[in-house]
Amino acid sequence: MSVTRASAPPLFERRKFWAHRFGVAPFLPTTRAEMDELGWDSCDVIIVTGDAYVDHVSFGAAVIGRVLEHQGFRVGILAQPDWREPEAFAELGPPNLFWGVTGGNMDSLVNHYTSDRKHRSDDAYTPGGSSGSRPDRAVIVYTQRCREAAPGVPVIIGGIEASLRRIAHYDYWSDKVRRSVLLDAKAELLVYGNAERSIVEIAHRLAEGEPANELRDVRGTAVAVRELPEGFVEIDSSEVDQPKGLVSLRRRALAHPRERTAVRLPSFETVRNDKVLYAHASRVLHQEANPHNGRVLVQRHGKRDVWINPPPIPLTTPEMDAVFELPYQRRPHPRYEAAKIPAYEMIKTSVMIMRGCFGGCSFCSITEHEGRIIQSRSRRSVIAEIEKIRDTVPGFTGIISDVGGPTANMWRLGCKDPKIEAACRRPSCVHPGICENLKTDHSDLIGLYREARALPGIKKVLVASGLRYDLAVESPEYVRELATHHVGGYLKIAPEHVAEGPLSKMLKPGVGTYERFKKLFDRYSEQAGKEQYLIPYFIAAHPGTSDEDMLELALWLKRKRFRPDQVQAFLPSPMATATAMYHTGKNPLRKLTRAETAETVTVPKGLQRRRLHKAFLRYHDPNNWPLLREALTRMGREDLIGNGKAHLIPRYQPAGTGGLGEGRRRKQGNRRPRKGTALTQHTGLPPRQTGNRRRRK
């Protein structure tokens, strides 16, 4: 059966709703008084968000609000309403069409808790950066309050918190498998992924009088149903104990039209109690993630099914331009006055040029949320936004802080053949090696950089987004351009590890690729007469990582004279492939069976072992030495304990250290590093080079 690329009507082709006569709001209203100023008696849609309201394209609530406004709907925003006070949700009155509920740009539990389940003291999406302005499981709590404020009005949930919890999922914070958040929140619809297409269709169909509980065919949505719609063929996916794994499932599926086929996943009750079937459900979910060949997924929860439609069709370049060029004010709502919102301060002079990521890193949520097909803006649109920043952002110094996206160097990259892309089911286009069908030419991106930095009034254009260095080494001219003109002293990249065990589970390239990139970067930095540094990031305690793997990484770091100051332990975010590994000890990247020969995954669990893996990354911290001495002795590597240069840690223990395993970090001062030393952003680095001035980061 051949697969053709799915298509969608143009994003803004529908006739605008009658309320478009009210025009464009300076800011979407957040109070009844602001509604009165606009001449509104009610809102058609009210968006409830766990973030402060920043009218900027980097904030999801603002994007959806402006997209709906463009279609003629009156949209209000309740930003971080007090969930303990029901009256806060009545501020704008009931919406005419629906409530739109999102936890914000981050999952509320990721926002609140560290990977060790410790409560965070800050929130970058809140004025002043303080924590406590949103509840845990914000989507569920906000939905309950909306029901109380306006009974009978449909609630549609979305954003990353809903998107990554659309099926039965392992929840790290409660350490159990939870139901789809659609059912826990008791919402009519769940919108996942990039929501522009879905939300425009939903709003117009509701405005035309269609009941919310009958909107079962909108791409990028999930809805609860009691029976299979007429005309669909159901395929059972749960044959994991067959000798050929999932191959038989795929072959049988060819006999049915994909657009009328629903793949039944094991039920919530089943995956809650059966880890093999949980891993299988995760595998199938990711296999059906291509919007051009993905099928409906169905999962039973009690007496109801969660019906998950195929992913939304990616936006075209003209559609991306249209979304990014809506009339955003590009600043926080005036209600916040002089209060700083850290997330906004970080991006106010940055430009997002694309969405999506085809890297497929198993621990990352980008692919599950935005998809692996790159959606790029036009060069014209990007340049126009840079000029707007230059002309309108107060205090602009001439420096664009970032031109990038989820991955800095995937702009305009993708499959060479649309037919191959439409049929592909690989989780990654760059692992175990770069696909022969992937375009890796960075010349368009080089041209964009050059045009941007040549604009009048622009002193420097930086690249601060994470860089996919295995792609960059395919285009040495890009590395030259980057090192010569677009690095502000430091460039962050993410090798994540050096051992094959964890790298194979992460879907990351080997350390040799990092060394190739570093060689190019150092050469071109030296040719440009610049002293610049790479900031590599590493993950501790990732599934597939043994104590020996962490020791290998620690020895590599010591050889490179690299002393990480801030280290990251793996955080099992909902629905990620690596989270399925963490929960089940199985590898959904490969065929799954119940046989004893089936691949299992080493999973570092428990506070003590996770702390040990972090301690290996910070081998230089005296507070970690007692823990490391004990581990090295247990591993039979006492030869690495001693006071010489060849040893990992010394035998002596400085007074006042070593009591907590991972304690206070010693002040490093402003010593400049020796040439060629790999360092972090916090340990001994010189001041950041920014334009013609030098400042501390």
Side-chain angles (χ1 to χ4, degrees), residues 547-655:
D547 296 352
E548 289 74 18
D549 292 331
M550 291 308 301
L551 173 58
E552 180 182 347
L553 176 54
L555 293 172
W556 183 88
L557 293 170
K558 185 174 176 64
R559 287 197 304 271
K560 299 294 182 180
R561 304 190 190 97
F562 182 64
R563 296 186 167 193
D565 187 60
Q566 289 186 337
V567 299
Q568 176 186 1
F570 170 67
L571 194 160
S573 59
M575 220 173 77
T577 298
T579 300
M581 297 180 193
Y582 177 90
H583 172 57
T584 67
K586 305 297 181 182
N587 184 5
L589 296 170
R590 299 185 181 277
K591 297 176 184 177
L592 291 159
T593 72
R594 296 190 186 277
E596 293 182 0
T597 56
E599 181 181 1
T600 58
V601 178
T602 300
V603 181
K605 287 188 177 182
L607 180 61
Q608 190 70 6
R609 194 166 181 216
R610 288 169 65 85
R611 180 179 290 171
L612 171 62
H613 282 208
K614 291 176 69 176
F616 272 118
L617 284 178
R618 301 198 71 246
Y619 65 91
H620 55 283
D621 186 345
N623 288 296
N624 290 323
W625 292 348
L627 187 62
L628 291 174
R629 287 192 200 99
E630 179 184 344
L632 291 173
T633 300
R634 185 181 68 250
M635 296 164 66
R637 295 305 308 270
E638 292 178 279
D639 58 302
L640 295 174
I641 306 173
N643 301 328
K645 290 184 178 180
H647 299 108
L648 182 64
I649 56 173
R651 295 189 183 279
Y652 68 88
Q653 187 70 39

Side-chain angles (χ1 to χ4, degrees), residues 24 32 35 40 138 176 453 516 542 602 608:
V24 175
R32 172 66 69 172
M35 289 172 57
W40 297 4
K176 66 180 183 181
R453 73 169 191 266
R516 287 174 57 201
H542 190 279
T602 300
Q608 190 70 6

Side-chain angles (χ1 to χ4, degrees), residues 409 413 434 440 442 467-480 482 491 493 513 516-517 520:
N409 58 323
L413 299 188
I434 296 176
T440 60
H442 286 53
L467 188 78
R468 192 78 195 200
Y469 55 88
D470 49 352
L471 286 174
V473 296
E474 298 295 313
S475 181
E477 183 59 28
Y478 173 75
V479 183
R480 182 199 299 271
L482 190 73
L491 180 68
I493 56 175
T513 308
R516 287 174 57 201
F517 177 79
L520 287 172

